[in-house]
């Protein structure tokens, strides 16, 4: 992984007490999971369809706060077939209420990754904590002019007139989501490479639309040399292993989101492949095990 972790002494963040990047290989594919930071979220948003007492019991069992949670933000850089692919871009720095997020540009520099080397961006969906990093000067102005941005066509279409009727988000989040997505589409429309169901971005790097969380929500599957890993975006949240039927307030179709989650976790438990997801504790690299009618999060032992 030296190509992704080349040290650059003039750059910040190399001596972090808490690491913000984790490198691994999937066959011949290089993967670097990067933390964009954390943002506070109301705990009740994690389970909008169950009695508060059930959520409280789960939070206590997990030793988590009962009111506000720190929601991890994970992105990934993937190298395969001569292409360098950024999967999602974090929150960006234009939201002063979230001072501990929006670290991607700084942490790319710390990892020795020149944004101009990124050939492709894959977006799981257009929520602001996945696209905001591409809108800030620290990253936007440093990207190559022939950058290709891949997302499901259903996602771009949805954000032309988004429907929030089935979500349960705190104000003013829906308005900010709408504004940010609209701005993103305006800035990057000429670079978009929309796909219908699935698309192979590079050898062994397949993006596939799942829907649910948003109509065009997608996951990315990496496969090489008998190894595989799925970047699941927002298909799986931390409570979703033990409680896959719990609805998250940010899901635009909660029932379909639950079906997508169960299918995905069932597949991963059967295949034994690794999972990374945006909002699981950094670096979120894990396996999925079955536990009765639900699942278990099994962290991968770090490879030093």
């Amino acid at each position: 992984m030296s190509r992704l972790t080349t040290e650059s002494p003039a750059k910040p963040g190399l001596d972090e007490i808490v690491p913000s990047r984790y490198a691994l290989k999937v066959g011949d594919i290089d993967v670097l999971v990067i933390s964009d930071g954390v943002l506070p979220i109301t705990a009740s948003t994690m389970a909008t369809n169950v009695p508060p007492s059930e959520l409280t019991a789960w939070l206590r069992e997990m030793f988590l706060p009962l009111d506000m949670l720190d929601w991890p933000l994970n992105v990934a850089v993937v190298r395969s077939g001569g292409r360098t692919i950024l999967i999602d871009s974090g929150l960006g720095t234009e939201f002063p209420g979230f001072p501990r997020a929006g670290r991607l540009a700084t942490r790319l520099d710390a990892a020795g990754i020149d944004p101009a080397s990124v050939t492709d961006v894959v977006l799981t969906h257009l929520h602001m904590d996945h696209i905001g990093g591409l809108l800030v000067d620290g990253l936007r102005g440093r990207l190559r002019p022939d950058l290709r941005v891949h997302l499901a066509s259903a996602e771009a279409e949805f954000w032309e007139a988004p429907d929030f009727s089935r979500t349960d988000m705190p104000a003013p989040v829906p308005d900010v989501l709408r504004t940010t997505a609209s701005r993103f589409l305006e800035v990057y429309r000429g670079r978009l490479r929309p796909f219908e169901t699935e698309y192979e971005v590079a050898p062994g790097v397949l993006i596939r639309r799942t829907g649910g969380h948003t109509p065009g929500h997608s996951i990315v599957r990496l496969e090489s040399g008998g190894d595989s890993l799925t970047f699941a975006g927002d298909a799986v949240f931390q409570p979703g292993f033990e409680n896959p039927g719990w609805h998250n307030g940010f899901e635009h179709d909660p029932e379909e989101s639950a079906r997508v989650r169960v299918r995905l976790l069932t597949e991963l438990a059967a295949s034994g492949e690794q999972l990374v997801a945006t909002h699981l504790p950094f670096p979120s690299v894990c396996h999925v095990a079955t536990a009765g009618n639900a699942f278990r999060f099994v962290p991968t032992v770090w490879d030093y």
Side-chain angles (χ1 to χ4, degrees), residues 203-228:
V205 182
L206 184 72
I207 180 172
R208 174 166 61 90
R209 182 172 70 88
T210 64
H213 186 72
T214 60
H217 179 276
S218 302
I219 62 176
V220 185
R221 189 169 190 268
L222 312 178
E223 184 173 14
S224 173
D227 293 335
S228 53

Side-chain angles (χ1 to χ4, degrees), residues 76-191:
V77 176
V78 173
R79 280 184 172 150
S80 176
R83 307 201 71 84
T84 298
I85 304 152
L86 176 66
I87 304 178
D88 286 343
S89 71
L91 184 69
T93 56
E94 298 187 352
F95 305 97
F98 304 122
R100 293 186 294 152
R103 309 293 179 86
L104 177 61
T106 297
R107 289 174 173 171
L108 286 175
D109 287 340
I113 301 173
D114 182 355
S117 70
V118 175
T119 59
D120 301 79
V121 173
V122 169
L123 297 173
T124 59
H125 60 298
L126 295 187
H127 277 166
M128 65 186 189
D129 53 327
H130 298 256
I131 62 173
L134 292 173
L135 294 172
V136 299
D137 292 338
L139 191 56
R140 175 182 168 186
R142 301 167 63 192
L143 297 169
R144 58 201 295 159
D146 61 345
L147 179 75
R148 305 187 306 181
V149 180
H150 307 272
L151 80 164
S153 55
E155 188 70 5
E157 293 166 5
F158 173 75
W159 288 99
E160 296 291 348
D163 178 7
F164 293 91
S165 62
R166 302 182 67 188
T167 63
D168 190 0
M169 307 176 188
V173 172
D175 288 339
V176 177
L177 289 175
R178 183 184 294 107
T179 301
T180 306
S182 177
R183 182 181 168 210
F184 174 84
L185 290 171
E186 178 181 351
V187 170
Y188 283 95
R189 193 176 301 277
R191 301 184 182 186

Side-chain angles (χ1 to χ4, degrees), residues 3 18 25 67-68 90 92 110 114-115 120 132 152 170 177 181 183 190 193 205 215 219 226 247 251 270 278 295:
R3 290 178 296 158
V18 178
K25 292 184 73 71
D67 49 358
M68 297 292 293
D114 182 355
D120 301 79
L177 289 175
R183 182 181 168 210
R193 300 295 184 269
V205 182
I219 62 176
H247 295 169
E251 293 170 336
T278 304
F295 306 91

